[in-house]
Each structure stands twice: as structure tokens, then as C-alpha cells.
């Protein structure tokens, strides 16, 4: 049995425990001690201890009887035997100025339990006193262990209700019972079109077709909606939709920030990240049991060998980062990587913020720092590993070819570097000549620059560089102050020659000094090497073990010139010091005064050297084209050869270490002391420990509920701790978690149970009396109206236009106005998230996201008004309706395709008015007349066969899209924001028509982009 059941000894304690926010579990005749432990302590632990234990807000502690009697700034908290005179009762009843708990209110049952406890003498059992711990040690007392989310399952029978006709499922009785208790009633059911659209968008992320709506509306069978749910769950698009929801939790990204990126991009892509994404989609489509889903992502390499090939891609959950290995000192970056893994695992699977215990004991939850480092040891014993999805022979062949290509590219790079170095050193000997030419241009009498260049046979580009270089303020070194003073006072030619000769000599001295120091430093570095070869640059996470891997030989103390001479060398031979280095931004710096690269270098090479360079490049290009495509590989993890236990980093500082903590699990979720792991890194043991927790089951069913309804039973889905929200329907949460386990941890069965309930099928109608009592609809008396998320918006637009490409899986592609695949297959960058995704509230892929937030900002509306993408979908949809015989028929078909319903008479009238008055119509008619005139003239001039006419597209055919190879530089935001491209660039987009503008209004409407 995966879920741990409490021992018989614990059952009496647990059966009486009150889940926060509802009446206590059924109670029996109890002693005063039992009453306190089962009815009072849980309330104090969940509602009071976070502020009134160690924190002592208001000078008050509530974690012992003595502390309550002592009280705080306002006096004693309790008067044993007299509840009405107790300040605590006044606060929880909220009858005075002091109202507690902050931001909420206890239920009547909870208030009465505290009052009864005070009236009977406020007995506080000795066994329940907070244990005395060693200094700095957090001891988890029974009160904290009694917190509702840490308890075993407490499934209770669905309560009886007055309106026995309304419930369709057990879920409904839990919902209705609470509504009736609060004096509320659910609204009526949604109409069939609304319900089908809600369910289809919920399960597949794209709206239903008009034909599907019509079929459902005409199906009068009692199980009509059940058949719809089964059809949608069997659809391949189901996995794409629900897989994307899980990827938010998994903080799925396809690249990472890279300080040492060999290509200078500032990030390193995970070229095969899509393998993890596609595995998640398949897992949902195959209804992979949740226990296998969790194990595969944490320890897919340690599962049954017979199925391991199918579970390895799941390791992308851990292997695809974020990795920080080359962004700083190894001790710090590795600690940050472990922190990410702890955070995503604990919040994603357990709904606990274990990451908060990195520097100190958790301020709210019973999670000591030692627990954090017990989990950190698991990931310290885990390393990055790539798993090829191809035979070893293919891998070895490709690796050999890749090495040869790198050697060729290295030869090219070394050649260009050598030629550039020789050129810049040679130009040093012309420094005086160029400086005197600058004087002739800027001194008195001034000469024309072109005449000076021609007479002295100078290079025009280099002359311009010298003019700028000599005029700059002397910020980095003082060596040009005399020259600039001479120019300012109008010096003579001999003065200019003297200073120019001196500066040329200085440059030569700096060059010779630099070369001499380099020879000395090469010897120093060679002596520091452990072998006979210098270390090769490393770029994979598993290759960085020490700081020397991060920066080879950087720890060796070498010699250097004084700062001002070093600045001069950099400014002249490396890069322009006026071009600032921005932290965290990859830049192409302006070259130094005498540094040339690219064509600036090549044009100065001899014909022989240029021919050699051309041959090198042609050889590399030919070799690259002959190489096979790279085999796919999983970005995964594996255990280190030797597992390690980590010491506590005192105050989070990895350079200030404390006690070594064995690898293990959370103490509060272990039976007695912390559960320790001994098998390898402990990843598989961690997965099993998670899956034994009722808490893990509560977390996943609550996520599924929230993804259906827009709000969770507990609306902090990644925080089930003391500082998280309390469940508004705790018995329902217990029922769903228990149902989930009893039904094989099947997500699809959970969907079916939820969606066939009356509460899921409610309309979004509003009742004032209900709204006044529950404006946030936390008790689910109606359906929540929600804006589509970014994937639903884009995919629905493509579906309406008929352009949606339903091909599944494979590498991601950039989102552009021309791309037609589902948004799931768009690139997700941690380095720079797509602007369109950001605009519509796509979560950051750098951290686990517990929910999507919906904003409402002007740029979102401007996107619908002006973007090329929306306009293109509108024009494509026009092609689907243009075969209709009349304008009215076209409007009707447009409404069927966009909204899945017929247009009303008023909507047709408004459409006709708009189309008659659309300013673009007059232009189109004039242009059409001109084209007709030109056509007739051409027919008269040349009597040839008429070209074959292109037939109208079939109503449901997929229209052709413009060529996607010419991408707009702004991607999906093209048209909505000022273009970053050249104004003369023409994109292969369909021409804008007045019908297209009309259809765009329909696609921009609230009815289309909101889910009722």
C-alpha cells in the first residue's frame, strides 16, 4: 500500500483532529487532556503559533499555559474557568478592537472548542509541552505535527443535503452541504454550448467545432456529456493541454544563462529539451499512474530495466536545470542548483516550501535547516548526464565527426587570431605617421582629410579610428594628455612629430612588456598543471567539479603590468574601453584602435593568405553539410560514483560549514526521527517517501481541481504549510485524495469524477444574495468566468482560421505570425522569454509556478487590434467563408466558426453596417476596378488560353500559410509593437481586407477569449 496508514495507537489521536475551517471530526466522551489534544491544540498550531510562539508578536506567546497566563502587552490571554473574561475569546470572537486570527476568522465550532477548554480550566497536558531543545535546535512538537496537512487520510461519508435532486456525484453533496449551511444555493446549469466549450477548452485547450456543438445539443441521451468527456480524454490534444499545465510546475525551459557560452550568446540551449516535454504529453495521454509519473521524473534511471528506455526522458525534470555552474564560484553555484531541485520537488510534489529552510529553520513550518541539507545531500550525490536515444555506434561516429569539425574550426580561429595579432603589431610602427596626419587635419592650417590620406597613403578606416582615439578624454590612462594640450593650443608640426614618436615608442614598450610577461606567466601556469597538457574548456554541468574547472588556472597567481599600462594595451589591441561592459549581457565590443576582425581584417590580407582563408572556410562548410543530423539525447541525471552527505551551510553560506547531515527526508513526515536514505543518491527512496504521504495526494488532486475551476479547494497549491491557505472544503479534499488513490492514481478517472458533477456543470450566472456572502465564489455556487491563457488564445485563433497544425512532438520552433503549430511547441527561453508569452502571463520558466495569474493591460488589447498574427488568422478565416452566396450567409458562417452559434438578427445588422462603412472597402473596390481594367487590356493584347483558376478553399480545408522562412524580427508581436526590422523589408503576409478587419473584431471579442 503506497499511502502510509496510521498505527492503531495513533488512531484515537487522529480521529478526533479537526481539519481547519470546518467542524471537528466526530468526537466521543473525552478526558480534558484528550479534548485539548484533539480539539484545541490543532487550532492553536494552525492559526496562532506562526505569530505567537518564537515570534512573540505583541509580546504574546500562546504555546504554553504559563505563557497564556502571563499574556502580552494587553494583559493575560486567558482567565481559566471564565471564557467571557478571557482576552483570547474576545479576539477570536472579534467582538472588540483586537481581532484574531489576522486576515481570517475561526469557525463557530472552533471558537466554541476554545471557549469550552477555558471554561473547564484550560488544562494543558504536561506531555504536550514544547520539548526543550539544544541551543539552535528545532524540535518538532506534537502541536506542529498535528497540523492538518501532515495527517493521514480522514475520508468521511458525503453529508446529507436538503436538495436531494441536485447532486449528480459525491462531490456535489460536499459542495451543496456547505452552501446550505451558509444559506446559499447553486445557480442553474450551463447551457449545452457553454458546457461543451468549457469542457473542450479545459481538456484540449482548443474550442469545439460548430459540428461538435450541434451534435452535443442534439444528443438527448442521459450520458451525452459523459460521452463527450470520454471523447476528449481520448483525444491526443488532451495530453498537450494537461502536459503544458504540469510543465509550469516543472519550470520547463529550453536553455540556461551561460557566462562561459563558447559562442558568446550568453545562454546555452538544451537542444533536445523537447524529449521531456513530449514524455509529459505521452504520460498524460497514456494516463500513467501518478506514482509512476513521480518516480520516473525523480529516478527514471533507477526503475525497471525493461521499461527504462521509456522513463529516461522523464529525467529532464531534474536534468534540464536551471544549472548555474559557470556563473560564479563552484561552492555557491552548486548550492544554488541543489536549492532549485529542493524547491521544485518539495513545492511541486509535497506543497511545502522546504527551500525557506536553507539559511535557518523554517519560520512557519516544522522544517529544520537540517532537513533541508538532508535533502540537499540527495542532489549533491546526483550529476548531469546525457542519455543518447540512438545506438552506441551512431553516437561514436557522430562524436568523432564533431571532434574533427571542432579541430577545423579551431584552426580557422587560430589563423584569424594570428593574422589579427600580426596586423595590429605591424600597425604599431605606423602610429607616429597616423598621429602626424591627425595633426595636419586638426591643426593649423587645416588640411582636407581626403588629401592627407591620399598623399600619405593611409587607410581611411584606420585614420578615422585615430581621429576619434586621440580626441577622447583621458579617463583610463594619462599618456595622451600632452598631445591633447598641444592640439588645444595649436602646436607646431615639430611638436606633433615629437609627441607622436614618443607615443609610438610607448606602444612598442607596452607590447614588449606584455610579451615578456606572457612568457613568464606561461611558465608559471605550466608548473601548476597536474599533467602535461593545459585543461580543455568545459561546458557541461557534470564537467565542473572544482573552481579550476570553472576557470582553468585562474587561481594561479600570475604577473601583470600596472593598471594604466594594461588599460592602454586593452584599448589599443583588444577592445574600445569606451564601450561599457554590462553585467549579464553578451555584447559584441568595438575593437581596439589597432584591432581588426571580420572583413576589416580580411581586406588587409595578402591574396595568398585570403585564398587560404577561403579554402579553410569552404572545407569547414562542406564538412558540416556532410555530417549527419545530431542524434537526440535526454538531458538527464545520474548518481555520482560515491554518494555524499552534506554539512549544514551556516546561515546559507557554503564556506561556513557545520554538522554533516545524512541524506534523508523531512522529519515532520517521518514516523519518529528523520527517515534516512542509503541507496545511492537516495532519489528513488525520496520518490517512494513522497508517494507514501497523504499530503502528496492532496497536492495533486488540488492542482487538478484548480486547473478545472480556476481556484483550488486550497488556493495556494504549492504551499500546504502553516502560511498557506486552509482548504475551504476539507472533507471534499479528503474525499478526492482518497478517491484518487483507490482508483489507481488515475488522473483521467479524477477528471471524469470532477467533470460529471453538477458543480462543474454550473452556469456563471450571478445571484446577488450569493455574491454578497461569497463574492470570490470560494464555495463554488457558480462557475468562474476566466480569460483563456496564452496557449488557449493562440491555439484557438489558429483553430478558428483553420490553420492549426496538429502535428505532435518534436523540436520546438520560434513563435511567429507564420508558425501554425500549437503554442506548446513554441520555444521557452529562460534567457529571454518570448514577448508574446510574457504579455499574456506565461509564468517564468526559472522557478516552479504554482498558478497562472491573469492580468488585464492595454497592450493585450493592442495585440488583438494591431498584430500581424491576429490579422492573418482573420484573413485566413475569410477564405473559409467567401464561398457563401450572400453577405448575410458569410456573417452567419463566421459566427459559426468563431463562436459555434448562429448570429442574431441584430448581430447581422451590425455586421452589415460595419462592412458598408469600413474605410478599407472603398480602397478595395477601386483597386479591384483597376485590376479588372488591366486584365481586359491584357486579354486584348494577347489572345492566349486563360490561366487555370484557383478554386475556393473547401469550407474545412486548412488554408495555405505564407512561407515561414522569412520571420518577422518581432515574432508574434509583429504589428503590435514598433518593428525592430528594416522598414523596407516585406513580409509574405496576406493582404488586409475589410472582411478581414470585420472577422478580427469577432476574434478579439470577449465572447471568444473568455471561458464561461
Amino acid at each position: 500500500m503506497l499511502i502510509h496508514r496510521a498505527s492503531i495507537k495513533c488512531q484515537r489521536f487522529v480521529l478526533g483532529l479537526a481539519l481547519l475551517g470546518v467542524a471537528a471530526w466526530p468526537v466521543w466522551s473525552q478526558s480534558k487532556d484528550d479534548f485539548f489534544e484533539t480539539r484545541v491544540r490543532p487550532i492553536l498550531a494552525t492559526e496562532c503559533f506562526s505569530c505567537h510562539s518564537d515570534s512573540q508578536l505583541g509580546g504574546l506567546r500562546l504555546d504554553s499555559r504559563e505563557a497564556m497566563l502571563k499574556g502580552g502587552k494587553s494583559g493575560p490571554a486567558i482567565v481559566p474557568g471564565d471564557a467571557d473574561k478571557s482576552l483570547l475569546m474576545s479576539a477570536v470572537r472579534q467582538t472588540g478592537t483586537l481581532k484574531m486570527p489576522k486576515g481570517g476568522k475561526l469557525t463557530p465550532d472552533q471558537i466554541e472548542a476554545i471557549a469550552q477548554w477555558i471554561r473547564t480550566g484550560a488544562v494543558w497536558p504536561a506531555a504536550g509541552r514544547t520539548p526543550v531543545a539544544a541551543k539552535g535546535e528545532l524540535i518538532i512538537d506534537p502541536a506542529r505535527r498535528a497540523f492538518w496537512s501532515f495527517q493521514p487520510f480522514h475520508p468521511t461519508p458525503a453529508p446529507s443535503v436538503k436538495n436531494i435532486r441536485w447532486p449528480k456525484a459525491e462531490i456535489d453533496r460536499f459542495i451543496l452541504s456547505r452552501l446550505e449551511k451558509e444559506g446559499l444555493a447553486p445557480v442553474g446549469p450551463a447551457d449545452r454550448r457553454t458546457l461543451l466549450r468549457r469542457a473542450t477548452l479545459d481538456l484540449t485547450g482548443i474550442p469545439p467545432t460548430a459540428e461538435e456543438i450541434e451534435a452535443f445539443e442534439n444528443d438527448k441521451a442521459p450520458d451525452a456529456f459523459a460521452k463527450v468527456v470520454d471523447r476528449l480524454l481520448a483525444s491526443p490534444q488532451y495530453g498537450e493541454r494537461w502536459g503544458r499545465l504540469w510543465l509550469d510546475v516543472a519550470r520547463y525551459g529550453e536553455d540556461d544563462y551561460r557566462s562561459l557560452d563558447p559562442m558568446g550568446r550568453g545562454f546555452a540551449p538544451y537542444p533536445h529539451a523537447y524529449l521531456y516535454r513530449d514524455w509529459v504529453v505521452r504520460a498524460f495521454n497514456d494516463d500513467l499512474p501518478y506514482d509512476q509519473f513521480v518516480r520516473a521524473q525523480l529516478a527514471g534511471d533507477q526503475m525497471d530495466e525493461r521499461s527504462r528506455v521509456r522513463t529516461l526522458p522523464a529525467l529532464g525534470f531534474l536534468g534540464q536545470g536551471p544549472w548555474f555552474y559557470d556563473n560564479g564560484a563552484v561552492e555557491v553555484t552548486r548550492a544554488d542548483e541543489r536549492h532549485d531541485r529542493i524547491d521544485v520537488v518539495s513545492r511541486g510534489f509535497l506543497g511545502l516550501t522546504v527551500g525557506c529552510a536553507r539559511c535557518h529553520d523554517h519560520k512557519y513550518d516544522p522544517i529544520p535547516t537540517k532537513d533541508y541539507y538532508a535533502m540537499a545531500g540527495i542532489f549533491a550525490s546526483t550529476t548531469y548526464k546525457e542519455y543518447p536515444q540512438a545506438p552506441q555506434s551512431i553516437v561514436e561516429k557522430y562524436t568523432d565527426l564533431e571532434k574533427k569539425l571542432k579541430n577545423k574550426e579551431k584552426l580557422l580561429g587560430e589563423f584569424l587570431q594570428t593574422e589579427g595579432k600580426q596586423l595590429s603589431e605591424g600597425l604599431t610602427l605606423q602610429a607616429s605617421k597616423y598621429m602626424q596626419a591627425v595633426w595636419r587635419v586638426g591643426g593649423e592650417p587645416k588640411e582636407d582629410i581626403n588629401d592627407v590620406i591620399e598623399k600619405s597613403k593611409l587607410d581611411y578606416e584606420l585614420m578615422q579610428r585615430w581621429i576619434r582615439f586621440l580626441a577622447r578624454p583621458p579617463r583610463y590612462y594619462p599618456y595622451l594628455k600632452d598631445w591633447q594640450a598641444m592640439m588645444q593650443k595649436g602646436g607646431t608640426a615639430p611638436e606633433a612629430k615629437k609627441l607622436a614618436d614618443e607615443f609610438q615608442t610607448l606602444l612598442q614598450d607596452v607590447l614588449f612588456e606584455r610579451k615578456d610577461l606572457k612568457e613568464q606567466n606561461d611558465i608559471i601556469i605550466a608548473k601548476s598543471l597536474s599533467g602535461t597538457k593545459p585543461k580543455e574548456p568545459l561546458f557541461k554541468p557534470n564537467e565542473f567539479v572544482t573552481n579550476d574547472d570553472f576557470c582553468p588556472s585562474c587561481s594561479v597567481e600570475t604577473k601583470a603590468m600596472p593598471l594604466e599600462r594594461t588599460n592602454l594595451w586593452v584599448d589599443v589591441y583588444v577592445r574600445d574601453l569606451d564601450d561599457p561592459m554590462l553585467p549579464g549581457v553578451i555584447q559584441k565590443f568595438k575593437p581596439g584602435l589597432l584591432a581588426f576582425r571580420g572583413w576589416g581584417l580580411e581586406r588587409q590580407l595578402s591574396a595568398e593568405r585570403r585564398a587560404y582563408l577561403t579554402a579553410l572556410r569552404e572545407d569547414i562548410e562542406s564538412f558540416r553539410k556532410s555530417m549527419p543530423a545530431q542524434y537526440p539525447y535526454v538531458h538527464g541525471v545520474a548518481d555520482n560514483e560515491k554518494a555524499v552527505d552534506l554539512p549544514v551551510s551556516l546561515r546559507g553560506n557554503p564556506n561556513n560549514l557545520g554538522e554533516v547531515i545524512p541524506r534523508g527526508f523531512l522529519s515532520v513526515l517521518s514516523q519518529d526521527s528523520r527517515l534516512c536514505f542509503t541507496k545511492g543518491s537516495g532519489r528513488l527512496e525520496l520518490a517512494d517517501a513522497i508517494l507514501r504521504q497523504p499530503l502528496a495526494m492532496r497536492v495533486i488532486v488540488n492542482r487538478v481541481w484548480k486547473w478545472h475551476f480556476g481556484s483550488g479547494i486550497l488556493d495556494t497549491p504549492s504551499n500546504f504549510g502553516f502560511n498557506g491557505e486552509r482548504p475551504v472544503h476539507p472533507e471534499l479534499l479528503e474525499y478526492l485524495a482518497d478517491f484518487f488513490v483507490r482508483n489507481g492514481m488515475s488522473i483521467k478517472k479524477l477528471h471524469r469524477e470532477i467533470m460529471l458533477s453538477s458543480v462543474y456543470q454550473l452556469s456563471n450566472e450571478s445571484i446577488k444574495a450569493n455574491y454578497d456572502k461569497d463574492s470570490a465564489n470560494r464555495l463554488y455556487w457558480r462557475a468562474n468566468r476566466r480569460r483563456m491563457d496564452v496557449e488557449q488564445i493562440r491555439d484557438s485563433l489558429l483553430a478558428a482560421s483553420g490553420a492549426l497544425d496538429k502535428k505532435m512532438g518534436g523540436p520546438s520552433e520560434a513563435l511567429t505570425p507564420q508558425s501554425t503549430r500549437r503554442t506548446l511547441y513554441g520555444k521557452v527561453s529562460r534567457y529571454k522569454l518570448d514577448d508574446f508569452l510574457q504579455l499574456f502571463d506565461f509564468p517564468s520558466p526559472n522557478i516552479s509556478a504554482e498558478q497562472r495569474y491573469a492580468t488585464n493591460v492595454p497592450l493585450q488589447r493592442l495585440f488583438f487590434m494591431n498584430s500581424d498574427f491576429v490579422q492573418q488568422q482573420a484573413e485566413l478565416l475569410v477564405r473559409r467563408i467567401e464561398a457563401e452566396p450572400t453577405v448575410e450567409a458569410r456573417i452567419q458562417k463566421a459566427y459559426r466558426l468563431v463562436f459555434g452559434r448562429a448570429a442574431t438578427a441584430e448581430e447581422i445588422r451590425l455586421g452589415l453596417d460595419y462592412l458598408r462603412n469600413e474605410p478599407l472597402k472603398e480602397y478595395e473596390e477601386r483597386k479591384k476596378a483597376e485590376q479588372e481594367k488591366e486584365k481586359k487590356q491584357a486579354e486584348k493584347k494577347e489572345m492566349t488560353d486563360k490561366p487555370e483558376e484557383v478554386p475556393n478553399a473547401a469550407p474545412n480545408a486548412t488554408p495555405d500559410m505564407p512561407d515561414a522562412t522569412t520571420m518577422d524580427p518581432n515574432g508574434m508581436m509583429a504589428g503590435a509593437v514598433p518593428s525592430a526590422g528594416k522598414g523596407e523589408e516585406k513580409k509574405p503576409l496576406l493582404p488586409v481586407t475589410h472582411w478581414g478587419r470585420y472577422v478580427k473584431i469577432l476574434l478579439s471579442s470577449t465572447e471568444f477569449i473568455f471561458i464561461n
Side-chain angles (χ1 to χ4, degrees), residues 740-759:
F740 184 60
V741 173
R742 286 188 288 104
N743 284 273
M745 300 191 190
S746 164
I747 298 286
K748 286 190 175 183
K749 289 180 180 178
L750 182 62
H751 284 307
R752 210 172 186 277
E753 180 74 5
I754 291 172
M755 296 180 71
L756 296 184
S757 66
S758 291
V759 66

Side-chain angles (χ1 to χ4, degrees), residues 891-909:
I891 293 175
Q892 281 288 8
K893 185 163 185 181
Y895 267 75
R896 277 177 56 80
L897 292 175
V898 175
F899 304 124
R901 64 173 177 84
T904 65
E906 177 64 11
E907 287 167 336
I908 291 177
R909 184 190 67 77

Side-chain angles (χ1 to χ4, degrees), residues 339-352:
H339 182 79
D340 166 79
R341 306 318 185 253
I342 290 170
D343 180 69
V344 71
V345 169
S346 64
R347 291 201 299 125
F349 296 122
L350 290 169
L352 293 175

Side-chain angles (χ1 to χ4, degrees), residues 70-88:
K70 180 181 177 183
K73 295 178 181 178
S74 301
I78 59 172
V79 178
D82 196 335
D84 293 337
K85 291 183 179 180
S86 297
L87 185 59
L88 177 63

Side-chain angles (χ1 to χ4, degrees), residues 837-853:
L837 296 179
Q838 288 188 72
L839 177 60
F840 288 97
D841 310 306
F842 190 90
S844 168
N846 289 290
I847 58 173
S848 176
E850 68 174 4
Q851 58 187 323
R852 297 269 183 107
Y853 295 96

Side-chain angles (χ1 to χ4, degrees), residues 798-960:
L798 288 168
S801 72
L804 181 63
D805 179 0
K806 293 186 178 180
K807 174 188 171 185
M808 295 183 67
S812 298
E813 59 184 48
L815 296 176
T816 71
Q818 296 89 353
S819 60
T820 59
R821 296 195 70 194
R822 294 198 68 170
T823 312
L824 169 73
Y825 301 113
K827 291 183 177 177
V828 179
S829 172
R830 293 188 180 115
Y831 179 73
K832 187 182 186 306
L833 187 61
D834 181 271
D835 290 334
F836 167 70
L837 296 179
Q838 288 188 72
L839 177 60
F840 288 97
D841 310 306
F842 190 90
S844 168
N846 289 290
I847 58 173
S848 176
E850 68 174 4
Q851 58 187 323
R852 297 269 183 107
Y853 295 96
T855 61
N856 184 12
V857 296
L859 188 55
Q860 292 170 352
R861 300 311 305 170
L862 290 172
F863 173 82
F864 279 97
M865 289 173 61
N866 300 324
S867 78
D868 291 346
F869 175 76
V870 177
Q871 186 66 50
Q872 287 304 290
Q873 304 320 306
E875 299 297 345
L876 289 168
L877 196 147
V878 169
R879 291 185 172 187
R880 299 182 68 186
I881 66 175
E882 61 188 2
E884 297 300 312
T886 65
V887 174
E888 290 84 352
R890 290 182 184 181
I891 293 175
Q892 281 288 8
K893 185 163 185 181
Y895 267 75
R896 277 177 56 80
L897 292 175
V898 175
F899 304 124
R901 64 173 177 84
T904 65
E906 177 64 11
E907 287 167 336
I908 291 177
R909 184 190 67 77
L910 289 171
L912 293 172
D913 287 347
Y914 177 87
L915 291 166
R916 274 195 297 268
N917 299 313
E918 164 60 50
L920 195 62
K921 182 183 179 185
E922 183 181 345
Y923 166 78
E924 288 177 354
E925 291 174 345
R926 186 170 67 248
K927 184 177 179 182
K928 186 177 180 181
E930 291 172 356
Q931 289 173 342
E932 288 292 331
K933 184 178 179 181
E934 291 173 0
K935 183 179 178 183
K936 289 179 181 179
Q937 290 174 347
E939 287 174 350
K940 289 179 182 179
K941 185 176 179 182
E942 188 176 350
M943 296 299 295
T944 58
D945 292 338
K946 293 183 179 179
E948 183 179 349
E949 293 183 0
V950 179
N952 287 325
N956 295 316
T958 300
D960 295 332

Side-chain angles (χ1 to χ4, degrees), residues 305-352:
E305 288 188 17
R306 293 170 296 180
S307 61
R308 194 172 296 173
V309 68
R310 295 194 298 272
T311 58
L312 284 176
L315 292 172
F317 179 81
L318 296 175
Q320 285 171 207
W323 295 94
F324 308 110
Y325 54 89
D326 69 341
N327 292 330
V330 167
E331 295 83 3
V332 176
T333 57
R334 290 306 192 194
D336 289 343
E337 290 165 1
R338 295 191 291 268
H339 182 79
D340 166 79
R341 306 318 185 253
I342 290 170
D343 180 69
V344 71
V345 169
S346 64
R347 291 201 299 125
F349 296 122
L350 290 169
L352 293 175

